[in-house]
Amino acid sequence: VALIHHLDALLGEAAIHFIEPLILDFTTNGRDTPGRKDAEYMHLFSGPIDIAALESQTQAAMAADISEQISMADLAQRVSRLEAEVAELKEQLTASPKEV
């Protein structure tokens, strides 16, 4: 945790002291990612960043995570139904083994 605070301070100083910033701090630009507790930085060594494209990619990734969670919920429900069905079949086999 101390290292993260030290790094934040160092990156903040780097962003302030250069005429053209080499680092973009998303939290000071109001572009922090929901659900993240730490600051997000991006280097500008390759030139300016297309913020709109970056936000679009972030939103697409979050949507993919949500759809994966939904499918995981569907799978969990399906497994529960199958487990109940297997338990019922076991009970039927135990109750009347001669009828099978």
Side-chain angles (χ1 to χ4, degrees), residues 4-59:
I4 292 173
H5 293 297
H6 180 69
L7 184 60
D8 282 342
L10 183 65
L11 289 171
E13 287 179 29
I16 292 170
H17 292 299
F18 291 106
I19 293 173
E20 291 206 23
L22 300 175
I23 300 165
L24 178 64
D25 179 358
F26 284 95
T27 48
T28 59
N29 289 304
R31 303 199 184 278
D32 54 329
T33 304
R36 297 264 325 231
K37 66 177 185 173
D38 299 326
E40 292 181 273
Y41 296 93
M42 184 170 282
H43 71 80
L44 300 172
F45 300 129
S46 302
I49 298 171
D50 184 355
I51 299 290
L54 183 63
E55 286 178 345
S56 174
Q57 289 173 351
T58 302
Q59 289 173 355

Side-chain angles (χ1 to χ4, degrees), residues 64-85:
D65 286 346
I66 290 170
S67 68
E68 184 176 315
Q69 290 173 359
I70 291 170
S71 64
M72 289 299 289
D74 290 342
L75 287 174
Q77 186 179 24
R78 189 172 172 197
V79 167
S80 293
R81 283 194 310 258
L82 289 171
E83 287 174 339
E85 187 177 335

Side-chain angles (χ1 to χ4, degrees), residues 89-97:
L89 291 170
K90 280 183 177 180
E91 187 178 308
Q92 289 175 4
L93 285 172
T94 307
S96 56

